[in-house]
């Protein structure tokens, strides 16, 4: 309190010193901002290099996958040729066995015909003997003519000899015909034996050619296996390079985010300093106004008017001295009896406010730390779950389609918590494309593979599938049912299938349906197919 009405509460800071500190801090922030900009540019350059490396690795992986698919197709063709060669070899072996059996039968027939021919040849001298008997009969007739006394007996003998001679002639004719027949059959068996021998030689040549072809195919298969192994090694190397490039990209992204955070902090500090500078300018204007009101002159004219040096020295020391003098002058004023009480109240309130501020700062820091840890844990869990589901989805897609490949990709952001999901599929014989470009059946099979991949990653006790097999044909329905059986055995999940497909219903364990035994009265019917099969087997 002063006689001219001036009231000063103290506690002010020197405006010039504050402006100097603000300018010094602004210069420091400018240098820090330049360093942060250089770090951000370096991080952006590293990010571009990592993206280029990732693109090259992706191209290498794509070429390796193309080579692997070509090797797989060549291996399948070689296996098909090998199977055809094995079938032809088995057929040739069967024909050779048949020819050997036919040759054995022909040899036995030839031996039997030779024996019969030999028997016929031995029967021919007996006919000569009969001819000799006829000559003896002629001589007997001459003797009978000379001996008339035995005419009756000679006549009887002659009649008997004539009858036997006729029988012998007939038998000789029959034996001659049979001998000619057996000779003809012997000639035929010889030609058949020659033909069978030629066919056996041809079969042996075919078998040798087939064996040579089989050896050539085995050599081709071995070469294709080596090529497939080389392609697989190249694919593994490309996948490792891609993983390293992705890790570098993640590291560069983290550095870029850190640099962005530092730049944001620098911008906030610059805004704060600018506000403080504006405040100091306002304080300077207020001081100039007060100087004009109290001393009727501007601040630069005060040293000449009141006789003190323009540069009094250390501003902080002068501020401390001013504060001391101000406090001493205030102590000379009226005594406030409640000053001690008010001081204690203000100190308690200040301590309480400081404690609350510290508690709020601690809570804010703890909350930010918790949010950061939750985000980190969420990213880790989401990344682990994404990798697990992606692995199961690739395997199940290949099983359902009998080949091809599919993958899950995070898009639109580098942060897994903010990124979107894209399903890329490549059925056998087609190119890699998005799920929306596939047909209805392919979309259904792909969605089924994704659902079952989620169940493999996190099994649930119950799963309800409503008309999943509606757009599928019979072959794909069989694959779907096989995968469903494997999932039920692997995950212990109970699957409830809503379907009208007869193939799917035939593969279920129990059927539930609604029938109307009476008009207007519906009834739930349940059939245990396994129990029905056991009952049928028992019956």
């Amino acid at each position: 309190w002063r006689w001219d009405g001036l009231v000063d509460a103290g506690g002010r800071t020197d405006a010039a010193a504050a402006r100097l500190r603000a300018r010094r801090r602004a210069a420091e922030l400018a240098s820090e901002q330049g360093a942060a900009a250089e770090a951000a540019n370096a991080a952006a350059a590293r990010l571009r290099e990592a993206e280029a490396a990732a693109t090259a690795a992706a191209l290498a992986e794509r070429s390796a996958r193309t080579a692997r698919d070509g090797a797989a197709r060549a291996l399948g063709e070689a296996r098909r040729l090998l199977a055809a060669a094995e079938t032809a070899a088995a057929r040739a072996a069967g024909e050779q066995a048949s020819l050997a059996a036919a040759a054995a039968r022909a040899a036995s027939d030839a031996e039997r015909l030779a024996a019969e021919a030999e028997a016929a040849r031995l029967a021919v001298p007996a006919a000569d003997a009969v001819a000799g008997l006829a000559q003896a009969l002629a001589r007997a007739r001459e003797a009978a003519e000379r001996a008339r006394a035995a005419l009756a007996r000679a006549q009887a003998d002659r009649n008997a000899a004539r009858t036997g001679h006729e029988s012998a002639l007939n038998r000789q004719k029959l034996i001659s015909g049979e001998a000619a027949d057996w000779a003809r059959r012997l000639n035929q068996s010889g030609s058949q034996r020659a033909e069978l021998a030629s066919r056996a030689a041809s079969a042996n040549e075919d078998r040798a050619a087939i064996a040579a072809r089989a050896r050539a195919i085995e050599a081709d298969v071995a070469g294709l296996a080596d090529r497939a192994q080389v392609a697989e090694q190249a694919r593994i190397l490309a996948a490792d390079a891609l993983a390293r490039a992705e890790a570098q990209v993640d590291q560069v992204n983290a550095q870029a985010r850190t640099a962005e955070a530092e730049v944001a902090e620098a911008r906030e500090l610059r805004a704060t300093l600018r506000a403080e500078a504006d405040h100091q300018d306002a304080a300077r204007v207020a001081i100039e106004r007060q100087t004009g009101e109290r001393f009727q002159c501007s601040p630069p004219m005060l040293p000449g008017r009141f006789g003190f040096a323009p540069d009094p020295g250390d501003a902080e020391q002068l501020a401390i001295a001013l504060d001391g003098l101000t406090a001493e002058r205030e102590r000379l004023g009226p005594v406030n009896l409640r000053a001690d009480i008010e001081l204690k109240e203000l100190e308690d309130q200040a301590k309480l406010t400081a404690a609350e501020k510290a508690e709020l700062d601690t809570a804010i820091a703890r909350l930010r730390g918790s949010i950061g840890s939750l985000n980190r844990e969420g990213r880790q869990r989401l990344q682990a779950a994404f990798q697990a589901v992606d692995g199961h989805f690739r395997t199940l897609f290949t099983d359902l389609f009998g080949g091809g490949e599919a993958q899950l990709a995070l898009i639109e952001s580098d942060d897994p918590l903010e990124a979107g999901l894209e399903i890329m599929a490549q059925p056998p014989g087609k190119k890699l494309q998005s799920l929306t470009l596939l047909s209805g059946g392919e979309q259904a099979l792909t969605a089924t593979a994704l659902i079952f991949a989620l169940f493999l990653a996190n099994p649930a006790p119950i799963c309800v599938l409503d008309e999943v097999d509606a757009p599928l044909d019979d072959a794909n329905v069989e694959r779907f049912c096989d995968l469903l059986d494997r999932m039920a055995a692997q995950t212990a999940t109970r699957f409830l299938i809503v379907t009208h497909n007869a193939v799917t219903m035939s593969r279920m364990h129990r059927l539930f349906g609604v029938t109307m035994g009476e008009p207007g009265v519906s009834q739930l019917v349940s059939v245990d197919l396994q129990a029905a099969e056991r009952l049928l087997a028992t019956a």
Side-chain angles (χ1 to χ4, degrees), residues 157-309:
D157 293 336
R158 186 184 60 183
N159 292 332
R162 184 178 296 172
T163 303
H165 179 66
E166 292 177 355
S167 299
L169 289 176
N170 293 330
R171 187 174 180 185
Q172 184 179 5
K173 291 179 180 179
L174 292 175
I175 291 173
S176 298
E178 291 180 357
D181 190 12
W182 285 112
R184 181 177 55 80
R185 293 178 64 182
L186 181 61
N187 293 329
Q188 292 179 354
S189 64
S191 62
Q192 290 180 355
R193 289 182 61 186
E195 183 180 359
L196 292 174
S198 63
R199 291 177 64 184
S202 178
N204 290 329
E205 293 176 357
D206 294 339
R207 183 173 62 182
I210 291 171
R213 179 60 179 168
R215 288 192 295 271
I217 291 173
E218 289 178 357
D220 293 339
V221 169
L224 290 175
D226 296 335
R227 291 174 59 190
Q229 185 176 4
V230 172
E232 183 66 20
Q233 292 177 358
R235 186 191 67 79
I236 293 172
L237 293 176
D240 294 339
L242 178 60
R244 289 192 298 270
E246 289 178 351
Q248 293 177 0
V249 168
D250 294 338
Q251 185 177 2
V252 171
N253 289 335
Q255 293 177 357
R257 287 193 293 271
T258 303
E260 289 177 356
E262 293 177 354
V263 170
E265 292 179 357
R267 288 175 180 173
E268 292 178 358
L269 184 57
R270 183 180 64 182
T272 302
L273 292 175
R274 184 175 295 172
E276 186 175 355
D278 294 338
H279 177 70
Q280 296 297 332
D281 291 337
R284 179 179 58 77
V285 172
I287 290 173
E288 289 178 354
R289 186 178 64 254
Q290 291 177 4
T291 303
E293 292 175 356
R294 294 180 182 179
F295 304 107
Q296 289 78 35
C297 64
S298 60
M301 297 175 63
L302 290 176
R305 185 172 181 178
F306 295 99
F308 59 86

Side-chain angles (χ1 to χ4, degrees), residues 410-463:
L410 296 177
I411 59 174
E412 297 179 359
S413 178
D414 295 333
D415 190 358
L417 298 178
E418 299 177 358
L421 181 64
E422 181 72 21
I423 301 175
M424 305 298 294
Q426 183 180 6
K430 295 187 177 181
K431 63 181 181 179
L432 186 65
Q433 55 189 346
S434 177
L435 178 65
T436 56
L437 301 179
L438 299 178
S439 63
E442 292 172 345
Q443 288 182 359
L445 283 181
T446 305
T448 302
L450 180 58
I451 292 173
F452 286 163
L454 292 173
F455 270 85
L456 286 176
N458 187 13
I462 296 176
C463 176

